[in-house]
Amino acid sequence: MPKSFHVLIIDDSEKSTLLLEKALRKKWRSLLSKRVASAAELRAALEETTWNCVLCDLTIPGFDAASAL
């Protein structure tokens, strides 16, 4: 098992993000996560580090999963 797990969360809801993080911390105690809610934030996060996983809400006002891809 890797020492840490890096998860990028594309979501406009902080509450949803906290629930995801709580569930993920059960498996990976050393979790690095970041929430973004726009294309600009996504681009910056992708430049920032290497992510093991990207989780994306299907619909975010002004931004969606298809745009993220």
Side-chain angles (χ1 to χ4, degrees):
M1 179 165 61
K3 289 177 97 175
S4 64
F5 194 68
H6 296 196
V7 179
L8 180 59
I9 301 170
I10 305 170
D11 198 334
D12 60 334
S13 168
E14 188 173 342
K15 184 177 179 180
S16 294
T17 300
L18 292 174
L19 289 171
L20 282 169
E21 289 172 337
K22 183 179 179 180
L24 291 168
R25 285 188 199 287
K26 290 179 181 179
K27 177 69 177 176
W28 291 281
R29 288 200 166 97
S30 182
L31 178 72
L32 170 71
S33 67
K34 181 171 189 155
R35 178 176 64 90
V36 298
S38 70
E41 291 175 342
L42 175 59
R43 280 190 291 279
L46 291 173
E47 294 289 327
E48 183 179 304
T49 191
T50 300
W51 301 97
N52 297 106
C53 179
V54 177
L55 300 173
C56 185
D57 187 356
L58 290 176
T59 56
I60 299 171
F63 191 53
D64 60 20
S67 298
L69 285 174

